[in-house]
Amino acid sequence: MELTLAKQKNANTALEYDLVIIGAGITGAGTARDAARRGLSVLVVDQGDVAAGTSSCSSKLVHGGLRYLEQGELALVFESVAERRILLNIAPHLVLPLPFLLPVFDDSPRGMLTINIGMWLYDGLSLFRSPKLHKSLSRRKVRSTEPQLRAEGLKGAQLYYDCSTDDARLTLETLLDAQQAGAEISTYSRVEGFQFEAGRITGLELRDQLNGHCQTVSAKVVVNATGPWSDMTRSLAGTISHERMRPTKGVHIVLNADKLRLEHAVCCMHPDDGRVFFSIPWGEQTYIGTTDTDTQGDPGSVFADAGDVAYLLRAVNAYFPGNEVSTDDVISTWAGVRPLVGDESADDESSVSREHVLAVEPHGMVTIAGGKLTTFRRMAAEVVDTVVDQLKTVGASRGRLRAAETAVNPLPGAVGWPEQGGIQAVSEQIMDLAAGLISAQTAMLLAQTYGMRGINIAEAVVADPASGQALSEGRHEILAQVDWGVNHELVRTVSDIMIRRTQLFYRAADQGLSALKLVSERLAILLELKPEASEKQVEFYRAQVQRSQAWRAE
């Protein structure tokens, strides 16, 4: 996909921007939104799809982080819970309150009283504005609310609230808001090299991964927001004196909820090594994670192995012993690499700080590394402040810029959000509009996925009833989502739809393979793909499914 909104272009010059951001994950998306809303000209490039890396492979939580509280990182917790409140306001369809249960057993390292004190501190750091304040639950109450939880040695539990999110869609909508503010986005655009003038980066050489198109763009400032690829990007731009990143692999497994049905996200400690893991309700599924192990190599090539799955199954069966969950119950897995900043003093992977580092490289590139999903908006503001300073340094100041106001402006799916009723009210609007053409389950899915934009998809179904057909038998996703993805959500490949726009890859029993023909044929029409290009996308998706299941053969 070629760039269409050229900045300062003529026959002898490349496209020129105040700011080019490498990386369309949550940090790059947040930076683009902040910068575009301030009035800077912005281009975002990524070698893959939006959120195709770490930002679609997290634990899907917006939270303060009890672990960080235990580690004494009070400033990080305070910042995180403040951002949690903001995200609840600007993305109420994507950031949802979620009750967490922290059970206490006879052999737990901390008793009910100690944890209760910690919970009061957690509530206090949020200025007592958590979705709900915590409660101490008796053993009997815990047994009645989560009957599958291990009863042996159970003393009680603390009930507290954080939030869940769809990490990929939070990233996507942040980027779409940046696009509405004037930013340009070029996915599947790989940086092949940099151009320099007087020792400073002034341009990037790009290659489209899908059609081979090459292009050069000029940038007054370049931001490296490539997460676990940060050191690789730094290396491409010139020799680096040391690596900043200590990447760790996190794996999650997905089960059907009828195998492990939970009312709360349950926070426990792994019986082998004491690491925290979560069992999280996810609609018709439940997911469990995460592992936390050092990893090397290309972050895009990580996947779950047999040891990762066995590790998580041991934990599940230790805390939910009556279920006897086995490898046969695992529908899918996902694996991602956390972009943690290295800390030689850290004894293990889980103790590495989630704080971020912002640095201006000798050649002027701004690198943002580390951090966590919850605090992306604040990190982005810091990055743009640094970019503005760099623009002044090179004599390219844009003068007085607008205020970004990212804390108060809703993301696209939340524009016009009802004051009462939330997702249920939006779902009812969708159902009223497309009555008889879609199911109630599909209406709810559209409300939860797209927010108010789900109404636009319902309107498309009314205009073309055939687009209301299910992508796969027994599933609630519909063909109109494919059309919407291409027309409004930067979709360029089959995998974009199957993995990050619909999540069939994770949720369907066959990981969406039965929907593959319908989806690929529709995309081929919408994107005007030649048969060989369409087939290549289909085979690539099949390979991704096979890779995610490769652990079964180990």
Coordinates of all heavy atoms in Angstrom, one line a residue, residues 137-217:
L137 N -12.7 -12.0 51.5 CA -13.8 -13.0 51.4 C -13.4 -14.2 52.3 O -12.2 -14.6 52.3 CB -13.9 -13.5 49.9 CG -14.3 -12.5 48.9 CD1 -14.5 -13.2 47.5 CD2 -15.5 -11.7 49.3
S138 N -14.3 -14.8 52.9 CA -14.1 -15.9 53.8 C -13.9 -17.2 52.9 O -14.3 -17.2 51.7 CB -15.3 -16.2 54.7 OG -16.5 -16.5 53.9
R139 N -13.5 -18.2 53.5 CA -13.3 -19.5 52.8 C -14.7 -19.9 52.2 O -14.7 -20.4 51.0 CB -12.8 -20.6 53.7 CG -12.5 -21.9 53.1 CD -12.1 -22.9 54.1 NE -11.7 -24.2 53.4 CZ -12.5 -25.2 53.1 NH1 -13.8 -25.0 53.3 NH2 -12.0 -26.3 52.5
R140 N -15.7 -19.8 53.0 CA -17.0 -20.3 52.5 C -17.5 -19.4 51.3 O -18.0 -20.0 50.3 CB -18.1 -20.1 53.6 CG -19.5 -20.5 53.2 CD -20.5 -20.4 54.3 NE -20.2 -21.4 55.4 CZ -20.9 -21.5 56.5 NH1 -21.9 -20.7 56.7 NH2 -20.5 -22.4 57.4
K141 N -17.2 -18.1 51.3 CA -17.6 -17.3 50.2 C -16.8 -17.6 49.0 O -17.4 -17.6 47.9 CB -17.4 -15.8 50.6 CG -17.9 -14.8 49.6 CD -19.4 -14.9 49.4 CE -19.9 -13.8 48.4 NZ -21.4 -13.9 48.1
V142 N -15.6 -17.8 49.1 CA -14.7 -18.2 48.0 C -15.2 -19.5 47.3 O -15.3 -19.6 46.1 CB -13.2 -18.3 48.4 CG1 -12.4 -18.8 47.2 CG2 -12.7 -17.0 48.9
R143 N -15.5 -20.5 48.2 CA -16.0 -21.7 47.7 C -17.3 -21.6 46.9 O -17.6 -22.3 45.9 CB -16.2 -22.7 48.9 CG -14.9 -23.2 49.5 CD -14.1 -24.1 48.7 NE -14.9 -25.3 48.4 CZ -14.8 -26.0 47.3 NH1 -14.1 -25.6 46.3 NH2 -15.5 -27.1 47.1
S144 N -18.2 -20.7 47.3 CA -19.5 -20.5 46.6 C -19.3 -19.7 45.3 O -20.1 -19.9 44.4 CB -20.5 -19.8 47.5 OG -20.1 -18.4 47.8
T145 N -18.3 -18.8 45.3 CA -18.1 -18.0 44.0 C -17.2 -18.7 43.0 O -17.4 -18.5 41.8 CB -17.6 -16.6 44.4 OG1 -16.3 -16.8 45.1 CG2 -18.5 -15.8 45.2
E146 N -16.3 -19.4 43.5 CA -15.4 -20.1 42.5 C -15.3 -21.6 43.0 O -14.2 -22.0 43.6 CB -14.0 -19.5 42.4 CG -14.0 -18.1 41.8 CD -14.4 -18.2 40.3 OE1 -14.5 -19.3 39.7 OE2 -14.5 -17.1 39.7
P147 N -16.3 -22.4 42.8 CA -16.3 -23.8 43.4 C -15.2 -24.7 42.8 O -14.9 -25.7 43.4 CB -17.7 -24.3 43.0 CG -18.1 -23.4 41.8 CD -17.5 -22.1 42.1
Q148 N -14.7 -24.3 41.6 CA -13.6 -25.2 41.1 C -12.2 -25.0 41.7 O -11.3 -25.8 41.5 CB -13.6 -25.0 39.5 CG -14.9 -25.4 38.8 CD -14.7 -25.3 37.3 OE1 -14.2 -26.2 36.7 NE2 -15.2 -24.2 36.8
L149 N -12.1 -23.9 42.4 CA -10.8 -23.6 43.0 C -10.5 -24.6 44.1 O -11.4 -25.1 44.8 CB -10.8 -22.2 43.6 CG -9.5 -21.6 44.2 CD1 -8.5 -21.5 43.1 CD2 -9.8 -20.3 44.9
R150 N -9.3 -25.0 44.3 CA -8.8 -26.0 45.3 C -9.3 -25.6 46.7 O -9.1 -24.5 47.1 CB -7.3 -26.0 45.2 CG -6.7 -27.2 46.1 CD -5.2 -27.1 46.0 NE -4.6 -26.2 47.0 CZ -3.5 -25.6 46.9 NH1 -2.8 -25.6 45.8 NH2 -3.1 -24.8 47.9
A151 N -9.9 -26.5 47.3 CA -10.5 -26.3 48.7 C -9.4 -26.6 49.7 O -9.4 -26.0 50.8 CB -11.7 -27.2 48.9
E152 N -8.5 -27.5 49.4 CA -7.5 -28.0 50.4 C -6.6 -26.8 50.9 O -6.0 -26.2 50.0 CB -6.7 -29.1 49.9 CG -5.7 -29.6 50.9 CD -4.8 -30.7 50.2 OE1 -5.0 -31.1 49.1 OE2 -3.9 -31.2 50.9
G153 N -6.6 -26.5 52.1 CA -5.8 -25.5 52.7 C -6.3 -24.1 52.4 O -5.6 -23.1 52.8
L154 N -7.4 -23.9 51.8 CA -7.9 -22.6 51.5 C -8.4 -21.8 52.7 O -9.1 -22.4 53.5 CB -9.1 -22.7 50.5 CG -9.8 -21.4 50.1 CD1 -8.8 -20.5 49.2 CD2 -11.0 -21.6 49.2
K155 N -7.9 -20.6 52.9 CA -8.2 -19.8 54.1 C -9.2 -18.7 53.8 O -10.0 -18.2 54.6 CB -7.0 -19.2 54.7 CG -6.0 -20.3 55.2 CD -4.7 -19.7 55.7 CE -5.0 -19.0 57.1 NZ -3.7 -18.5 57.7
G156 N -9.2 -18.2 52.5 CA -10.0 -17.1 52.1 C -9.4 -16.5 50.9 O -8.5 -17.1 50.2
A157 N -9.8 -15.3 50.6 CA -9.3 -14.6 49.4 C -9.5 -13.1 49.5 O -10.4 -12.6 50.2 CB -9.9 -15.1 48.1
Q158 N -8.8 -12.4 48.7 CA -9.0 -10.9 48.5 C -9.6 -10.7 47.2 O -9.1 -11.3 46.2 CB -7.7 -10.1 48.7 CG -7.0 -10.2 50.0 CD -7.9 -9.5 51.1 OE1 -8.7 -8.6 50.8 NE2 -7.7 -9.9 52.3
L159 N -10.7 -10.0 47.1 CA -11.3 -9.7 45.9 C -11.0 -8.2 45.5 O -11.3 -7.3 46.3 CB -12.9 -9.8 46.0 CG -13.7 -9.4 44.8 CD1 -13.4 -10.1 43.5 CD2 -15.2 -9.5 45.2
Y160 N -10.4 -8.0 44.3 CA -10.1 -6.6 43.9 C -10.4 -6.5 42.5 O -10.8 -7.4 41.8 CB -8.6 -6.3 44.2 CG -7.6 -7.0 43.4 CD1 -7.0 -6.4 42.3 CD2 -7.2 -8.3 43.7 CE1 -6.1 -7.0 41.5 CE2 -6.3 -9.0 42.9 CZ -5.7 -8.3 41.8 OH -4.8 -9.0 41.1
Y161 N -10.3 -5.2 42.0 CA -10.7 -4.9 40.6 C -9.6 -4.3 39.8 O -9.0 -3.3 40.3 CB -11.9 -4.1 40.6 CG -13.2 -4.8 40.9 CD1 -13.5 -5.1 42.2 CD2 -14.1 -5.3 39.9 CE1 -14.7 -5.8 42.6 CE2 -15.2 -6.0 40.2 CZ -15.5 -6.2 41.6 OH -16.6 -6.9 41.9
D162 N -9.3 -4.8 38.6 CA -8.5 -4.1 37.6 C -9.4 -4.2 36.3 O -10.6 -4.2 36.4 CB -7.2 -4.8 37.5 CG -6.1 -4.1 38.3 OD1 -6.0 -2.9 38.3 OD2 -5.3 -4.9 39.0
C163 N -8.7 -4.2 35.2 CA -9.5 -4.2 33.9 C -8.9 -5.1 32.9 O -7.7 -5.4 32.9 CB -9.5 -2.8 33.3 SG -10.4 -1.5 34.3
S164 N -9.7 -5.6 32.1 CA -9.3 -6.4 30.9 C -9.4 -5.5 29.7 O -10.1 -4.5 29.7 CB -10.2 -7.6 30.7 OG -11.5 -7.3 30.5
T165 N -8.7 -6.0 28.6 CA -8.8 -5.2 27.3 C -8.6 -6.2 26.2 O -8.1 -7.3 26.4 CB -7.9 -4.0 27.3 OG1 -8.2 -3.2 26.2 CG2 -6.4 -4.5 27.2
D166 N -8.9 -5.7 25.0 CA -8.5 -6.4 23.8 C -7.3 -5.6 23.3 O -7.4 -4.5 22.8 CB -9.6 -6.3 22.7 CG -9.2 -7.0 21.4 OD1 -8.0 -7.0 21.1 OD2 -10.1 -7.4 20.6
D167 N -6.1 -6.1 23.6 CA -4.8 -5.3 23.4 C -4.6 -4.9 21.9 O -4.2 -3.8 21.6 CB -3.6 -6.1 23.9 CG -3.5 -7.5 23.4 OD1 -4.4 -7.9 22.6 OD2 -2.6 -8.2 23.9
A168 N -5.0 -5.8 21.0 CA -4.8 -5.5 19.6 C -5.7 -4.4 19.1 O -5.3 -3.5 18.4 CB -5.0 -6.8 18.7
R169 N -7.0 -4.4 19.6 CA -7.9 -3.4 19.2 C -7.7 -2.1 19.9 O -7.9 -1.0 19.3 CB -9.4 -3.9 19.4 CG -9.7 -5.1 18.5 CD -11.2 -5.1 18.3 NE -11.6 -4.0 17.4 CZ -11.6 -4.0 16.1 NH1 -11.2 -5.1 15.4 NH2 -12.0 -3.0 15.4
L170 N -7.2 -2.1 21.1 CA -6.8 -0.9 21.8 C -5.7 -0.2 21.0 O -5.7 1.0 20.8 CB -6.4 -1.2 23.2 CG -6.0 0.1 24.0 CD1 -7.2 1.0 24.3 CD2 -5.4 -0.4 25.4
T171 N -4.7 -1.0 20.5 CA -3.7 -0.4 19.7 C -4.2 0.1 18.3 O -3.9 1.2 17.9 CB -2.6 -1.5 19.4 OG1 -2.1 -2.0 20.6 CG2 -1.5 -1.0 18.5
L172 N -5.1 -0.7 17.7 CA -5.7 -0.3 16.4 C -6.5 1.0 16.5 O -6.3 1.9 15.7 CB -6.6 -1.4 15.9 CG -7.3 -1.1 14.6 CD1 -6.4 -0.9 13.4 CD2 -8.3 -2.2 14.3
E173 N -7.3 1.1 17.5 CA -8.2 2.3 17.6 C -7.3 3.5 18.0 O -7.7 4.6 17.6 CB -9.3 2.1 18.6 CG -10.4 1.2 18.1 CD -11.8 1.5 18.7 OE1 -12.0 2.6 19.2 OE2 -12.6 0.6 18.6
T174 N -6.3 3.3 18.8 CA -5.4 4.5 19.1 C -4.8 5.0 17.8 O -4.7 6.2 17.5 CB -4.3 4.0 20.0 OG1 -4.9 3.6 21.3 CG2 -3.3 5.1 20.3
L175 N -4.4 4.0 16.9 CA -3.8 4.4 15.6 C -4.8 5.0 14.7 O -4.5 6.0 13.9 CB -3.1 3.2 15.0 CG -2.0 3.4 14.0 CD1 -0.9 4.3 14.5 CD2 -1.4 2.1 13.5
L176 N -6.0 4.5 14.7 CA -7.1 5.1 13.9 C -7.4 6.5 14.3 O -7.7 7.3 13.4 CB -8.3 4.2 13.9 CG -8.2 2.8 13.3 CD1 -9.5 2.0 13.5 CD2 -7.8 2.9 11.8
D177 N -7.3 6.8 15.6 CA -7.6 8.1 16.0 C -6.4 9.0 15.6 O -6.7 10.2 15.2 CB -7.7 8.1 17.6 CG -8.2 9.5 18.1 OD1 -9.4 9.8 17.8 OD2 -7.4 10.2 18.7
A178 N -5.2 8.5 15.6 CA -4.1 9.3 15.0 C -4.3 9.6 13.6 O -4.0 10.7 13.1 CB -2.8 8.5 15.2
Q179 N -4.8 8.6 12.8 CA -5.1 8.8 11.4 C -6.1 9.9 11.2 O -6.0 10.7 10.3 CB -5.5 7.4 10.8 CG -5.7 7.5 9.3 CD -6.2 6.1 8.8 OE1 -7.1 5.5 9.3 NE2 -5.4 5.6 7.8
Q180 N -7.2 9.9 12.0 CA -8.2 10.9 11.9 C -7.6 12.3 12.2 O -8.1 13.3 11.6 CB -9.3 10.6 12.9 CG -10.2 9.4 12.5 CD -11.3 9.2 13.5 OE1 -11.4 9.8 14.5 NE2 -12.2 8.2 13.1
A181 N -6.6 12.3 13.0 CA -5.9 13.6 13.3 C -4.9 14.0 12.3 O -4.2 15.1 12.4 CB -5.3 13.5 14.7
G182 N -4.7 13.2 11.2 CA -3.8 13.5 10.1 C -2.6 12.6 9.9 O -1.9 12.8 9.0
A183 N -2.4 11.7 10.9 CA -1.2 10.8 10.7 C -1.5 9.8 9.5 O -2.6 9.5 9.2 CB -1.0 10.0 12.0
E184 N -0.4 9.4 8.9 CA -0.4 8.4 7.8 C 0.2 7.1 8.3 O 1.1 7.1 9.2 CB 0.3 8.9 6.6 CG -0.3 10.2 6.0 CD 0.6 10.7 4.8 OE1 1.1 9.8 4.0 OE2 0.8 11.9 4.7
I185 N -0.4 6.0 7.9 CA 0.0 4.7 8.4 C 0.4 3.8 7.2 O -0.4 3.7 6.2 CB -1.1 4.1 9.2 CG1 -1.4 5.0 10.4 CG2 -0.7 2.7 9.7 CD1 -2.8 5.2 10.7
S186 N 1.5 3.2 7.2 CA 1.9 2.3 6.2 C 2.4 1.0 6.8 O 3.5 0.8 7.3 CB 3.1 2.9 5.4 OG 3.4 2.0 4.3
T187 N 1.4 0.0 6.8 CA 1.8 -1.3 7.4 C 2.5 -2.2 6.3 O 2.5 -1.9 5.1 CB 0.5 -2.1 7.8 OG1 -0.4 -2.1 6.7 CG2 -0.2 -1.3 9.0
Y188 N 3.1 -3.3 6.8 CA 3.9 -4.1 5.9 C 5.0 -3.3 5.2 O 5.3 -3.6 4.0 CB 3.0 -4.9 5.0 CG 2.1 -5.9 5.7 CD1 0.8 -5.6 6.1 CD2 2.6 -7.2 6.1 CE1 0.0 -6.5 6.8 CE2 1.8 -8.1 6.8 CZ 0.5 -7.7 7.2 OH -0.2 -8.6 7.9
S189 N 5.5 -2.3 5.9 CA 6.5 -1.5 5.3 C 7.8 -1.6 6.1 O 7.9 -1.1 7.2 CB 6.0 0.0 5.3 OG 6.4 0.7 4.2
R190 N 8.7 -2.3 5.6 CA 10.0 -2.6 6.3 C 11.0 -1.6 6.1 O 11.2 -1.1 4.9 CB 10.5 -4.0 5.9 CG 11.8 -4.4 6.6 CD 12.2 -5.8 6.1 NE 13.5 -6.2 6.8 CZ 13.5 -6.8 7.9 NH1 12.4 -7.1 8.6 NH2 14.7 -7.1 8.4
V191 N 11.7 -1.2 7.1 CA 12.8 -0.2 7.0 C 14.0 -1.0 6.5 O 14.5 -1.9 7.2 CB 13.1 0.5 8.3 CG1 14.3 1.4 8.2 CG2 11.9 1.3 8.8
E192 N 14.5 -0.7 5.3 CA 15.7 -1.4 4.8 C 17.0 -0.6 5.1 O 18.1 -1.2 5.1 CB 15.5 -1.5 3.3 CG 14.3 -2.3 2.8 CD 14.6 -3.8 3.0 OE1 15.7 -4.2 2.8 OE2 13.6 -4.5 3.3
G193 N 16.9 0.6 5.4 CA 18.1 1.4 5.7 C 17.7 2.9 6.0 O 16.5 3.3 6.0
F194 N 18.7 3.6 6.4 CA 18.5 5.0 6.8 C 19.4 5.9 5.9 O 20.5 5.5 5.4 CB 18.9 5.2 8.3 CG 18.0 4.5 9.3 CD1 18.3 3.2 9.7 CD2 16.9 5.2 9.7 CE1 17.4 2.6 10.6 CE2 16.0 4.5 10.6 CZ 16.3 3.2 11.0
Q195 N 19.0 7.1 5.8 CA 19.8 8.1 5.1 C 20.3 9.1 6.2 O 19.6 9.4 7.1 CB 19.0 8.9 4.0 CG 18.5 7.9 2.9 CD 17.8 8.7 1.9 OE1 17.1 9.7 2.1 NE2 17.8 8.2 0.6
F196 N 21.5 9.6 6.0 CA 22.1 10.5 6.9 C 22.6 11.8 6.3 O 22.9 11.8 5.1 CB 23.4 9.8 7.6 CG 23.0 8.6 8.4 CD1 22.9 7.4 7.7 CD2 22.9 8.6 9.7 CE1 22.6 6.2 8.4 CE2 22.6 7.5 10.5 CZ 22.4 6.3 9.8
E197 N 22.6 12.8 7.1 CA 23.2 14.1 6.7 C 23.9 14.7 7.9 O 23.2 14.9 8.9 CB 22.1 15.0 6.1 CG 22.6 16.3 5.5 CD 21.5 17.2 4.9 OE1 20.7 16.6 4.2 OE2 21.5 18.4 5.2
A198 N 25.2 15.0 7.7 CA 26.0 15.6 8.9 C 25.8 14.7 10.1 O 25.7 15.2 11.2 CB 25.5 17.0 9.2
G199 N 25.8 13.4 9.9 CA 25.8 12.4 11.0 C 24.4 12.2 11.6 O 24.3 11.5 12.7
R200 N 23.4 12.8 11.1 CA 22.1 12.7 11.7 C 21.1 12.0 10.7 O 21.2 12.2 9.5 CB 21.5 14.1 12.0 CG 20.2 14.1 12.7 CD 19.7 15.5 13.0 NE 18.4 15.4 13.7 CZ 18.3 15.4 15.0 NH1 19.4 15.3 15.8 NH2 17.1 15.3 15.6
I201 N 20.2 11.1 11.2 CA 19.3 10.5 10.3 C 18.3 11.5 9.8 O 17.7 12.3 10.5 CB 18.5 9.4 11.1 CG1 19.4 8.2 11.5 CG2 17.3 8.9 10.3 CD1 18.7 7.2 12.4
T202 N 18.1 11.5 8.5 CA 17.2 12.4 7.8 C 16.2 11.7 6.9 O 15.3 12.3 6.3 CB 18.0 13.4 6.9 OG1 18.8 12.7 6.0 CG2 18.9 14.3 7.8
G203 N 16.4 10.4 6.8 CA 15.4 9.7 5.9 C 15.4 8.2 6.1 O 16.3 7.6 6.8
L204 N 14.4 7.5 5.6 CA 14.3 6.0 5.7 C 14.0 5.5 4.3 O 13.3 6.0 3.5 CB 13.2 5.7 6.6 CG 13.2 6.2 8.1 CD1 12.5 7.5 8.1 CD2 12.5 5.2 9.0
E205 N 14.6 4.3 4.1 CA 14.3 3.5 2.8 C 13.4 2.4 3.2 O 13.7 1.6 4.1 CB 15.7 3.0 2.3 CG 16.6 4.1 1.9 CD 18.1 3.6 1.7 OE1 18.3 2.4 1.9 OE2 19.0 4.4 1.5
L206 N 12.2 2.4 2.6 CA 11.2 1.4 2.9 C 10.9 0.5 1.8 O 11.0 0.8 0.6 CB 9.9 2.2 3.2 CG 10.0 3.3 4.3 CD1 8.6 4.1 4.4 CD2 10.4 2.7 5.6
R207 N 10.5 -0.7 2.1 CA 10.1 -1.7 1.1 C 8.8 -2.3 1.6 O 8.7 -2.8 2.7 CB 11.2 -2.8 1.0 CG 10.7 -4.0 0.0 CD 11.7 -5.1 -0.1 NE 13.0 -4.6 -0.7 CZ 13.2 -4.6 -2.0 NH1 12.2 -5.0 -2.8 NH2 14.3 -4.2 -2.5
D208 N 7.8 -2.3 0.7 CA 6.5 -2.9 1.0 C 6.7 -4.5 1.0 O 7.1 -5.0 -0.1 CB 5.5 -2.5 0.0 CG 4.1 -2.9 0.4 OD1 3.8 -4.1 0.5 OD2 3.2 -2.0 0.6
Q209 N 6.4 -5.1 2.1 CA 6.6 -6.6 2.2 C 5.6 -7.4 1.3 O 5.9 -8.6 1.0 CB 6.3 -7.0 3.7 CG 7.3 -6.3 4.6 CD 8.6 -6.9 4.7 OE1 9.5 -6.7 3.8 NE2 8.9 -7.7 5.7
L210 N 4.6 -6.8 0.8 CA 3.6 -7.5 0.1 C 3.7 -7.4 -1.4 O 3.5 -8.3 -2.2 CB 2.2 -7.2 0.5 CG 1.8 -7.4 2.0 CD1 0.4 -7.0 2.3 CD2 2.1 -8.8 2.4
N211 N 4.1 -6.2 -1.9 CA 4.2 -5.9 -3.3 C 5.6 -5.6 -3.8 O 5.8 -5.3 -5.0 CB 3.2 -4.9 -3.8 CG 3.4 -3.5 -3.1 OD1 4.5 -3.2 -2.7 ND2 2.3 -2.8 -2.9
G212 N 6.6 -5.4 -2.9 CA 7.9 -5.1 -3.2 C 8.2 -3.7 -3.6 O 9.3 -3.3 -3.9
H213 N 7.2 -2.8 -3.5 CA 7.4 -1.4 -3.8 C 8.4 -0.8 -2.8 O 8.3 -1.0 -1.6 CB 6.0 -0.7 -3.7 CG 6.1 0.8 -3.8 ND1 6.2 1.4 -5.1 CD2 6.1 1.8 -2.9 CE1 6.3 2.7 -4.9 NE2 6.2 3.0 -3.6
C214 N 9.3 0.0 -3.4 CA 10.3 0.7 -2.6 C 10.0 2.2 -2.6 O 9.6 2.8 -3.6 CB 11.7 0.4 -3.1 SG 12.2 -1.3 -3.0
Q215 N 10.4 2.8 -1.5 CA 10.1 4.2 -1.3 C 11.0 4.8 -0.3 O 11.5 4.2 0.6 CB 8.6 4.4 -0.8 CG 8.1 5.8 -0.9 CD 6.6 5.9 -0.7 OE1 6.0 4.9 -0.2 NE2 6.0 7.0 -1.1
T216 N 11.4 6.1 -0.5 CA 12.2 6.8 0.4 C 11.4 8.0 1.0 O 10.7 8.7 0.3 CB 13.5 7.4 -0.2 OG1 14.2 6.3 -0.8 CG2 14.3 8.2 0.8
V217 N 11.5 8.1 2.3 CA 10.8 9.2 3.0 C 11.8 10.0 3.8 O 12.8 9.5 4.3 CB 9.6 8.7 3.9 CG1 8.6 8.0 3.1 CG2 10.1 7.8 5.0

